[in-house]
Amino acid sequence: MSGGAGGARPAVAVLASRSLRLGPDSPAARFIRRFEPYFREVLRPELHLLEGTYRSLLRCGLLHDYEPVVRVPPGGEGGLVALSDRVVSGLPDGRRLDAVVYFSDPRDATSLFPDSLALKRECVVTRTPFLASEAAAVAWFGIDWLARDGRSAAASHIDGDEADALGMRRDPANDVVALIAHDTLKAEMLAFADEHRGFLSRFGTRLGTGTTGALLNGRLPERLGEPAPEVRNLAGRLRGLSAAGDWVTGMASGPRGGDVQIAELVRQRRCQAVVFFEDPHVSREHEADIQLMERATRIPGNEVLCLHDPATAREWAARHQRCEAAGRDGWMTLIDACRRRWGVELVPVAPTGEGGGERAALLDTAAWYVRALVSERARGTAATAGRLRVGVGGGGLIGDLLDVIASLAERLQAVDDARGGFAMPLVRRGYRRMANVEVVPEGGGADAVRNAGHLAAALSATLARPAATADGVDVRITTLSDPPENAGVVSAGRRQSMGDDVLVVPPGAHLRLDGHVSGGGLTTVISMARDARAALMEKMPG
C-alpha cells in the first residue's frame, strides 16, 4: 500500500460477519483499536465501512471523530455488491481500493452467499489485497506500520532487544509457508520465489502442492510436456536452492488432495502462512478442496495469513524486507506480548494531550469498553432467557469510571445525530435498557454498594444483593485505588468460575499480574501503554 495512486489518500474497505463485529472484544473492534494510531498518524486512509460494521464500531467508542469514512449500505441491502463494483470500477475520483478487509466467519452461511464470493473473486482478478481474517489483516497492516514509521509504532511495540530479553522474539525458522499456484500462474509463482528467495528461505519449511512444489525445487514434471521457456528458465534458476536437499517439501497435487493436506496443517497450527496464486477464470475440478483450505485459514482462533494473488504476495515480502532493513523485523506489539506472558487481552491507552490527560483518556477508553461488553453479553444472555450478573467493587477510580459510563448513551446519541441516517439508531437495541442485567456489589462495603447502584441506574438494570466473592459473576469490573507516590502494586483477585474480568489500571500504577491469572483469571487489562511496557520488562519470575 503506497499511500494511494499519485500520493492520493489510500482507500480501505472494512466489513465483518455479524459474529465477528459485535462487542469490544470482537475481531473487528480489536483490529480498529489496535491500528487506530497507524490509521490516524501514518496511513490516514479513507475507510469504506458497511453500515452494520460501522454501527458496531461506534458503539464500542471507535472512530467517533474519524472523518474520512464512506458509509456503505448493509450487506442485506446490496453493500457487498457496491464494494465489488468499487473493486472492479474504482472510486468516482479515479482511485482504487487499496485493500479489502473482510472478517468472514466460515461458520456463518453468509460467507457462502454469491455476493461474498464475488467480492473475493473480484479482488483476486484485480489483484487487490483481500484479507479475510484478523490474522491476515494484522499481518498485512502491522508489517506496513513497522516498515513505514518506527517512531509512531514504538509506543505500541517492544523492540527486538526487548523481545529477546523476554524470550518472545519470533524465529521465522519455526514457521511454515505453503506455496500454491494454478497452472496459468506457475510462472508467476516461480518469479515470486526467485525475486524473494532470501525472504522465503527464512521460513523453516516451505510446502508446495504437486507440480508447483516440483518446479520450485528446479524439476520439470512430465505432465507439463514442453514447458514455456520462462518456466524452464525460472526453474533452472531455483534449482541451486535444492542442492543440499529439496528447498520445498512436496505435497500431493491439488486435485489429489494437496489443498486438504495443507488445510489440516493449518488446523493443527503447523502452517503459519498460505500464498495461493489462484486463477479465477478457469473451472476447478477440486473447487471443494480449495474452499476447504481457504476456509481453514479463517477459523476463528486458528487463523493464518492467506494471500491470493502475485501482486499482494510481492508487496507482503517487500514490506518484510523493508522492515528488516530498518532493524524492526523483531518487534512485537504490546498486545501480543501480554497475551504470551499473562494470557490476557491488553487494551493499551495513549494520552490524548487534552483535558485531564492520561486519566481522562484511560477512563474514556475503559468506559466504552465496559459499556459495550456488558451490552453485548446482555444481548447474548437474553437470547437464552437468562440473566447477566455484573460485579462491581469499590476503589478510588471506579466512581469516576461509572460517571463516564453514565454519560455514554447521551454521547452516542450525539454521534448518531451528527452522522445521521442510520437505519438502526446507535442507542437502540438494548443500549438504553438492560432488564436482564443484575449489578452485584462485591464484598458488601458501602463504596461497592454505592458504585453498584450507580451502574445499575446507568444501565437501567437491577441492583442485586452483595456477593462475598467474584464467583458466580458473569462480568467483573475491577479498578484500583490511585497509586501512592511510591507507585503502589496493582494486583487482581483470583476466581475459579468462568466469566469476563476487566481490570482498569490507574496511570502510573505498578502493574504486576504474575501469579494472579488462574481459574477464571483476568480477561482484559486496560492500562496506559507505558505502564504495560514497564510491567512486561520487569525481570521474569524464576
Side-chain angles (χ1 to χ4, degrees):
M1 191 173 301
S2 60
R9 183 188 294 275
V12 177
V14 181
L15 62 156
S17 300
R18 180 178 176 80
S19 59
L20 302 183
R21 67 174 186 255
L22 296 178
D25 55 346
S26 66
R30 287 196 303 255
F31 168 70
I32 293 297
R33 188 182 298 111
R34 177 191 287 245
F35 286 103
E36 190 168 8
Y38 163 76
F39 285 153
R40 291 182 181 276
E41 301 173 25
V42 182
L43 190 62
R44 302 182 179 90
E46 179 180 87
L47 294 177
H48 293 242
L49 298 168
L50 252 67
E51 185 167 304
T53 302
Y54 189 28
R55 283 200 310 264
S56 296
L57 294 171
L58 289 172
R59 287 193 181 106
C60 294
L62 301 169
L63 301 180
H64 282 190
D65 61 347
Y66 191 82
E67 291 303 327
V69 169
V70 177
R71 284 169 48 187
V72 183
E77 299 177 13
L80 275 74
V81 177
L83 281 184
S84 297
D85 178 66
R86 293 175 198 188
V87 172
V88 174
S89 306
L91 304 177
D93 60 5
R95 292 176 299 145
R96 306 195 68 84
L97 285 174
D98 291 88
V100 172
V101 180
Y102 184 5
F103 298 111
S104 175
D105 188 345
R107 305 164 300 185
D108 187 334
T110 61
S111 68
L112 295 175
F113 284 7
D115 43 2
S116 294
L117 299 177
L119 176 60
K120 184 250 181 174
R121 181 184 183 278
E122 299 307 335
C123 284
V124 175
V125 170
T126 59
R127 301 194 172 186
T128 301
F130 181 78
L131 310 165
S133 69
E134 183 180 8
V138 167
W140 181 258
F141 290 104
I143 198 65
D144 185 58
W145 191 2
L146 291 177
R148 282 174 180 260
D149 191 90
R151 182 191 60 80
S152 68
S156 301
H157 292 73
I158 59 175
D159 63 27
D161 291 339
E162 291 170 327
D164 281 337
L166 292 170
M168 291 184 182
R169 182 190 282 265
R170 190 179 187 95
D171 185 355
N174 296 326
D175 288 348
V176 175
V177 59
L179 304 170
I180 310 167
H182 287 149
D183 285 351
T184 55
L185 294 171
K186 293 197 188 303
E188 291 220 52
M189 175 59 79
L190 294 175
F192 167 68
D194 186 41
E195 293 166 14
H196 300 286
R197 59 173 65 194
F199 168 67
L200 293 174
S201 292
R202 294 171 59 191
F203 287 86
T205 302
R206 291 150 297 280
L207 307 175
T209 54
T211 304
T212 303
L215 288 169
L216 289 169
N217 285 327
R219 295 192 289 272
L220 300 174
E222 291 183 4
R223 68 170 289 267
L224 288 181
E226 181 60 31
E230 182 183 15
V231 170
R232 180 181 293 278
N233 291 338
L234 286 168
R237 289 170 59 89
L238 291 168
R239 191 172 298 128
L241 295 173
S242 298
D246 284 351
W247 187 57
V248 170
T249 300
M251 313 295 285
S253 67
R256 294 182 179 273
D259 298 320
V260 174
Q261 290 177 320
I262 290 175
E264 173 61 5
L265 292 173
V266 168
R267 188 192 69 81
Q268 296 176 4
R269 303 187 180 186
R270 294 168 56 195
C271 177
Q272 285 69 43
V274 176
V275 179
F276 180 19
F277 292 179
E278 55 181 304
D279 185 351
H281 299 293
V282 299
S283 60
R284 305 180 292 203
E285 58 184 313
H286 59 302
E287 181 66 30
D289 293 8
I290 294 172
Q291 292 293 327
L292 180 148
M293 188 268 294
E294 291 188 348
R295 288 167 72 81
T297 67
R298 304 198 301 267
I299 296 174
N302 197 34
E303 306 162 347
V304 302
L305 174 70
C306 184
L307 305 178
H308 302 272
D309 68 84
T312 301
R314 286 189 171 94
E315 177 61 19
W316 170 62
R319 289 179 179 184
H320 273 279
Q321 290 164 333
R322 290 196 297 271
C323 189
E324 183 179 12
R328 304 183 194 123
D329 58 316
W331 287 27
M332 172 183 286
T333 66
L334 293 174
I335 293 170
D336 292 328
C338 287
R339 283 178 184 168
R340 289 188 59 178
R341 180 167 180 183
W342 293 307
V344 302
E345 185 69 21
L346 174 71
V347 178
V349 181
T352 63
E354 303 173 0
E358 293 187 352
R359 186 182 178 90
L362 179 83
L363 289 171
D364 202 60
T365 299
W368 283 110
Y369 190 97
V370 168
R371 188 61 175 79
L373 180 69
V374 173
S375 179
E376 177 54 25
R377 296 297 187 267
R379 184 195 64 82
T381 304
T384 61
R387 299 185 69 78
L388 184 81
R389 290 170 58 83
V390 179
V392 179
L397 196 66
I398 198 165
D400 291 341
L401 173 62
L402 297 179
D403 285 338
V404 179
I405 290 175
S407 73
L408 296 187
E410 183 177 348
R411 290 171 61 185
L412 195 58
Q413 183 64 59
V415 173
D416 197 6
D417 294 341
R419 299 294 179 181
F422 282 107
M424 175 63 71
L426 295 171
V427 294
R428 287 192 190 168
R429 207 174 255 182
Y431 201 89
R432 286 193 185 275
R433 297 181 57 197
M434 295 190 183
N436 68 322
V437 173
E438 293 181 345
V439 182
V440 183
E442 287 192 19
D447 284 351
V449 173
R450 182 172 55 253
N451 288 334
H454 191 177
L455 182 59
L459 302 179
S460 297
T462 302
L463 179 61
R465 292 181 178 180
T469 70
D471 289 317
V473 172
D474 301 298
V475 176
R476 184 188 186 201
I477 306 166
T478 308
T479 62
L480 298 113
S481 300
D482 292 345
E485 293 181 1
N486 61 351
V489 174
V490 172
S491 61
R494 307 182 185 190
R495 71 167 177 172
Q496 300 305 316
S497 63
M498 297 303 295
D500 295 292
D501 283 5
V502 180
L503 175 65
V504 184
V505 182
H510 184 187
L511 177 61
R512 184 176 296 164
L513 292 177
D514 293 306
H516 294 285
V517 181
S518 64
L522 289 171
T523 302
T524 304
V525 174
I526 303 176
S527 165
M528 302 306 297
R530 176 204 61 230
D531 297 335
R533 177 191 300 279
L536 279 168
M537 296 314 300
E538 281 191 339
K539 184 178 179 181
M540 295 288 286

